[in-house]
């Protein structure tokens, strides 16, 4: 049968012509092919495979249907037809043939996997996970299915269960995959996972031991000119040079870089091209798409470009290229913006932060040396164009306070549910809006959590994702924003404040739990950062009962932001460049 799994993993389509007398899964997870006993239909299958390899789906389907007419009891032909129909988005027909394949041979894990993908496309994530679990029951080493289950559980607001499946995906017979390990590390950051800071640190350092260690002995010497004050070649590597929060924060820096001191290379690890991509490309001296390059090829290109300082903008988020950094293609390597924790890599020398977000006690939790900016945050915030004007305080006319949380719903931990419930109990007329919660299982889970705290469903309004204009208009109907813990908001916090809503946050120990506090302190609103859950409740209740103060905060928030370090783009870029120069001088001196 056609090797659809390999097609998912590779840009180059692979066509299998192996014997498939038995449809039992092989150890390498590759689907089997038609049998010699089906000679009458074999030629049609092979033609179909060739057409499918050329992405000629209709032609492939015609050939497979001819084969099916001759061998209707061959489950592999049914899978070929089902896969092709799925690619044609003819889901009901695809489902029919894949179910037939499973009926003919219940041990075909491929059919269960494809049925799961179809269920996902139809928005039925529960059924999709059930099919994937069926595939894993047949083939416990089916990494793709394990990762699918983990991602689906995470998206339903069940990060602890997701972690379990990510760990299983890392222990299959397949070669260890750093991308799957990164997915695990990111999932561990969410509040539903019971794990200590020391354990999270160890997980990140273990990533290095497993995936970075093989490259240490083969790293090449750098031949960059060791002149301290010459212009530096700075490389920014990211999969987010598109409509993404990382792009919003890096664009002002690119625009304000002093080209007398630095030359800018942007390595873009994605194929999406949009308006933001064009803006970033226009600000780079060299813009290099690299999504199709292997890690070795990209590391070689960076080395040949003579990059002096290579900056990772992804960390362990999607589309990262940490295995390029593990090869140490630049003398100095920095991680910035994209991730809330250490990369764990010894090859990355520095991480940008500040003292409020990362007190000195945090040094031990990073593989990188922390470079702390003084008298400013670690970024600048540029409001999106066309943000609506701030309106009067809604509570003044509503007669009650409306709270809102705008962070990714995965950040809503049991701690948040408890604290927010306590606030609502103190303010019987108050309401709570939660933004960006997917419909279905995720919303139902949240409703159940609040119900267990004694909060009536009528007081909680859940919204799925919506167009930005609608989201921002709805946000203006709220009075006070509530930050999540332990995973604070970042980009969302900046925009929420800019729209006039004061934010209550719970100050923790790690960077991930101190972003809200650091932002508020930069705006002289440190009083809104609570030290304990009880203090959080008290702060929210007290502010809710002072409508005059709320109204003043609302109307003065934009001016407060504009006068803070958050808006000093040029000054901050100079600090970035001074940091690069300091790093370079120290490298030369060493």
């Amino acid at each position: 049968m056609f090797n659809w799994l390999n097609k998912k993993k590779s840009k180059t389509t692979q066509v299998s012509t192996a014997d498939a007398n038995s449809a039992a899964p092989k150890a390498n997870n590759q689907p089997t092919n038609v049998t010699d006993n089906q000679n009458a239909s074999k030629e049609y299958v092979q033609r179909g495979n060739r057409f499918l390899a050329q992405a000629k789906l209709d032609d492939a389907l015609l050939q497979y249907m001819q084969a099916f007419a001759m061998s209707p009891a061959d489950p592999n032909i049914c899978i070929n037809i089902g896969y092709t129909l799925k690619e044609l988005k003819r889901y009901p027909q695809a489902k029919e043939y894949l179910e037939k394949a499973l009926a003919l041979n219940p041990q075909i894990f491929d059919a269960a996997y494809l049925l799961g993908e179809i269920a996902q496309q139809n928005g039925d994530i529960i059924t999709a996970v059930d099919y994937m679990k069926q595939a894993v029951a047949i083939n416990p080493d089916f990494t793709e299915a394990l990762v699918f289950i983990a991602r689906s559980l995470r998206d339903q607001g069940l990060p602890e269960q997701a972690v379990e499946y990510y760990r299983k995906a890392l222990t299959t017979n397949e070669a260890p995959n750093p991308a799957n390990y990164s997915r695990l590390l990111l999932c561990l950051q969410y509040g539903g996972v019971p794990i200590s800071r020391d354990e999270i640190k160890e997980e990140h350092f273990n990533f290095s031991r497993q995936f970075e260690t093989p490259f240490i002995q083969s790293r090449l010497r750098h031949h960059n000119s060791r002149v301290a004050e010459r212009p530096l070649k700075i490389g920014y590597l990211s999969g987010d040079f598109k409509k993404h929060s990382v792009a919003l924060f890096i664009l002002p820096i690119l625009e304000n870089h002093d080209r007398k001191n630095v030359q800018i290379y942007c390595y873009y690890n994605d194929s999406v091209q949009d308006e933001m991509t064009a803006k970033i490309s226009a600000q780079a001296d060299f813009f290099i798409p690299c999504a199709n390059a292997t890690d070795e090829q990209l590391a070689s290109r960076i080395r040949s470009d003579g990059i002096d300082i290579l900056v990772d903008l992804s960390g362990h988020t999607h589309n990262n290229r940490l295995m390029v950094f593990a090869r140490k293609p630049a003398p100095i390597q920095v991680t910035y913006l994209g991730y809330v924790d250490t990369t764990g890599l010894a090859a990355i020398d520095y991480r940008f932060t500040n003292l409020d977000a990362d007190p000195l006690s945090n040094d031990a939790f990073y593989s990188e040396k922390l470079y702390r900016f003084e008298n400013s945050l670690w970024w600048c915030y540029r409001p999106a164009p066309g943000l609506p004007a701030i309106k009067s305080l809604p509570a003044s006319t509503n007669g009650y306070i409306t709270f809102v949380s705008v962070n990714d719903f995965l950040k809503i931990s049991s701690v948040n549910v408890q604290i927010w419930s306590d606030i609502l109990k103190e303010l019987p007329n108050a309401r709570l809006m939660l933004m960006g919660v997917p419909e279905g299982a995720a919303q139902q889970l949240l409703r159940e959590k609040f119900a267990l705290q004694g909060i009536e469903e009528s007081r909680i309004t859940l919204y799925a994702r919506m167009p930005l204009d609608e989201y921002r208009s709805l946000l203006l109907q709220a009075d006070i924003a509530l930050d999540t813990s332990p995973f604070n908001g970042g980009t969302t916090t900046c925009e929420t404040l800019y729209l006039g809503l004061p934010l209550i946050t719970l100050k923790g120990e790690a960077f991930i739990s101190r972003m809200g506090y650091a932002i508020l302190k930069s705006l002289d609103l440190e009083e809104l950062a609570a030290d304990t859950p009880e203090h959080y409740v008290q702060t929210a209740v007290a502010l809710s009962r002072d409508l005059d103060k709320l109204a003043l905060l609302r109307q003065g928030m934009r001016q407060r932001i504009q006068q803070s370090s958050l808006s000093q783009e040029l000054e901050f870029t100079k600090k970035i460049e001074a940091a690069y120069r300091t790093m370079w001088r120290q490298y030369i001196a060493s």
Side-chain angles (χ1 to χ4, degrees), residues 267-297:
Y267 300 92
Y268 181 34
N269 191 44
D270 200 356
S271 58
V272 174
Q273 299 283 328
D274 59 24
E275 181 181 349
M276 183 59 80
T277 311
K279 288 181 179 179
I280 290 176
S281 177
Q283 295 302 321
D285 296 298
F286 298 91
F287 189 84
I288 303 103
C290 60
N292 293 328
T294 66
D295 292 331
E296 191 61 44
Q297 289 169 341

Side-chain angles (χ1 to χ4, degrees), residues 2 54 128 142 184 216 326 340 405 416 446 539:
F2 182 77
Q54 299 167 29
F142 196 174
L184 167 66
I216 293 177
V340 293
S405 173
N416 298 137
L446 269 180
T539 303

Side-chain angles (χ1 to χ4, degrees), residues 101-319:
L102 268 181
L104 290 167
N105 187 341
Q107 295 302 305
I108 301 183
F109 65 89
D110 311 80
Y113 183 94
L114 294 171
L115 283 165
E117 286 197 328
I118 291 172
Q120 180 193 42
Q121 290 294 330
N122 291 331
D124 187 355
I125 195 64
I126 303 298
T127 300
V129 169
D130 287 342
Y131 274 124
M132 293 298 171
K133 288 182 177 179
Q134 183 178 349
V136 170
I138 300 168
N139 180 8
D141 287 328
F142 196 174
T143 304
E144 293 246 345
L146 290 166
V147 171
F148 184 105
I149 295 169
R151 186 174 58 247
S152 300
L153 290 169
R154 181 203 65 192
D155 291 347
Q156 293 175 54
L158 300 168
E160 187 174 3
Q161 295 181 33
V163 164
E164 175 187 347
Y165 278 91
Y166 279 132
R167 292 196 188 282
K168 288 180 180 179
L170 291 168
T171 58
T172 65
N173 288 332
E174 288 191 11
N177 185 336
N180 287 339
Y181 207 121
S182 286
R183 293 184 179 103
L184 167 66
L185 293 175
L186 180 58
C187 195
L188 287 173
Q189 302 289 350
Y190 294 111
V193 182
I195 188 170
S196 70
R197 290 186 71 194
D198 286 328
E199 289 171 324
I200 289 180
K201 169 191 171 181
E202 184 61 23
E203 288 283 6
H204 284 82
F205 281 37
N206 188 57
F207 176 88
S208 169
R209 287 190 287 269
Q210 185 167 356
F211 297 107
E212 180 182 22
T213 302
F215 300 107
I216 293 177
Q217 296 300 321
S218 59
R219 288 174 186 159
L220 301 175
R221 184 177 180 179
H222 300 105
H223 297 287
N224 305 55
S225 170
R226 298 175 70 87
V227 176
E229 305 307 316
R230 66 172 174 81
L232 296 175
K233 290 185 176 182
I234 309 298
Y236 292 103
L237 174 49
S238 176
D240 298 320
F241 292 145
K242 56 192 176 188
K243 290 182 180 178
H244 189 277
S245 57
V246 166
L248 291 174
F249 287 106
I250 199 64
L251 181 60
I253 295 172
L254 297 177
E255 290 177 350
N256 285 284
H257 265 315
D258 184 350
R259 292 310 199 271
K260 295 178 182 178
N261 294 321
V262 295
Q263 189 175 37
I264 302 302
Y265 290 70
C266 287
Y267 300 92
Y268 181 34
N269 191 44
D270 200 356
S271 58
V272 174
Q273 299 283 328
D274 59 24
E275 181 181 349
M276 183 59 80
T277 311
K279 288 181 179 179
I280 290 176
S281 177
Q283 295 302 321
D285 296 298
F286 298 91
F287 189 84
I288 303 103
C290 60
N292 293 328
T294 66
D295 292 331
E296 191 61 44
Q297 289 169 341
L298 181 53
S300 179
R301 170 62 191 267
I302 291 167
R303 182 178 291 275
S304 66
D305 286 340
I307 299 301
D308 299 307
I309 301 177
L310 183 64
V311 184
D312 158 55
L313 298 178
S314 298
H316 287 284
T317 62
H318 183 59
N319 278 343

Side-chain angles (χ1 to χ4, degrees), residues 431-445:
R431 303 287 188 270
L432 173 62
M433 300 193 305
L434 301 178
M435 312 294 286
V437 184
E439 294 179 350
Q443 290 197 4
Q444 182 61 31
L445 179 64

Side-chain angles (χ1 to χ4, degrees), residues 253-547:
I253 295 172
L254 297 177
E255 290 177 350
N256 285 284
H257 265 315
D258 184 350
R259 292 310 199 271
K260 295 178 182 178
N261 294 321
V262 295
Q263 189 175 37
I264 302 302
Y265 290 70
C266 287
Y267 300 92
Y268 181 34
N269 191 44
D270 200 356
S271 58
V272 174
Q273 299 283 328
D274 59 24
E275 181 181 349
M276 183 59 80
T277 311
K279 288 181 179 179
I280 290 176
S281 177
Q283 295 302 321
D285 296 298
F286 298 91
F287 189 84
I288 303 103
C290 60
N292 293 328
T294 66
D295 292 331
E296 191 61 44
Q297 289 169 341
L298 181 53
S300 179
R301 170 62 191 267
I302 291 167
R303 182 178 291 275
S304 66
D305 286 340
I307 299 301
D308 299 307
I309 301 177
L310 183 64
V311 184
D312 158 55
L313 298 178
S314 298
H316 287 284
T317 62
H318 183 59
N319 278 343
N320 76 70
R321 297 302 292 265
L322 289 178
M323 290 301 93
V324 171
F325 285 85
R327 290 166 165 81
K328 195 70 172 181
I332 299 171
Q333 300 190 148
V334 181
T335 187
Y336 180 46
L337 279 181
Y339 190 55
V340 293
D341 209 328
T342 180
T343 63
L345 296 185
I348 296 185
D349 305 284
Y350 297 94
R351 182 177 184 272
F352 285 144
T353 184
N354 83 346
L355 193 60
D356 293 323
D358 272 308
L360 297 178
S361 58
N362 279 1
D363 287 9
F365 293 93
Y366 293 95
S367 60
E368 308 86 1
K369 181 178 180 180
L370 296 182
Y371 188 100
R372 295 178 173 91
F373 294 108
E374 295 183 2
N375 303 316
S376 76
L377 294 169
W378 56 93
W379 59 19
C380 283
Y381 166 68
R382 178 184 294 180
L387 287 180
I390 295 176
K391 299 178 181 178
S392 60
L393 187 69
S396 298
T397 53
N398 290 338
Y400 57 84
I401 290 289
T402 302
F403 294 101
V404 66
S405 173
V406 299
N407 294 335
D408 188 329
F409 87 100
L410 293 173
K411 298 180 182 180
I412 301 176
S413 66
S414 57
V415 172
N416 298 137
V417 173
Q418 178 68 61
I419 292 174
W420 297 347
S421 296
D422 289 345
I423 293 171
L424 293 178
K425 290 174 184 176
E426 289 288 328
L427 302 167
N429 294 325
R431 303 287 188 270
L432 173 62
M433 300 193 305
L434 301 178
M435 312 294 286
V437 184
E439 294 179 350
Q443 290 197 4
Q444 182 61 31
L445 179 64
L446 269 180
R447 289 193 180 96
E448 290 172 359
K449 287 182 176 180
F450 279 102
L452 288 173
Q453 297 296 326
I455 303 302
E456 300 90 338
E457 186 173 330
S458 60
R459 301 184 67 191
I460 310 288
T461 307
L462 306 180
Y463 295 94
R465 290 189 180 275
M466 62 185 71
L468 273 176
D469 289 345
E470 293 180 27
Y471 155 79
R472 287 163 177 159
S473 177
L474 194 60
L475 197 57
L476 288 175
Q477 298 177 27
D479 302 288
I480 301 173
L482 301 177
D483 201 5
T484 46
S485 179
F487 200 150
N488 293 172
T491 311
T492 52
T493 292
C494 292
E495 180 163 301
T496 301
L497 289 165
Y498 194 79
L499 289 174
L501 278 75
L503 176 90
I504 313 295
T505 191
L506 178 62
K507 180 170 58 176
E509 296 179 345
F511 175 90
I512 193 174
S513 302
R514 296 178 67 89
M515 291 187 290
Y517 160 71
I519 293 170
L520 289 173
K521 186 176 178 182
S522 75
L523 301 177
D524 293 325
L525 290 173
E526 188 176 356
E527 65 191 79
L528 300 181
D531 296 314
T532 65
E534 294 77 18
H535 186 201
Y536 188 115
V537 174
Q538 293 166 6
T539 303
V541 171
L543 187 59
S544 299
R545 290 172 174 163
D546 192 342
L547 297 190

Side-chain angles (χ1 to χ4, degrees), residues 25-40:
K26 293 184 177 181
N28 65 359
N29 291 343
Q30 299 303 309
T32 52
N33 210 314
V34 293
T35 71
D36 291 335
N37 296 331
Q38 296 171 317
N39 288 330

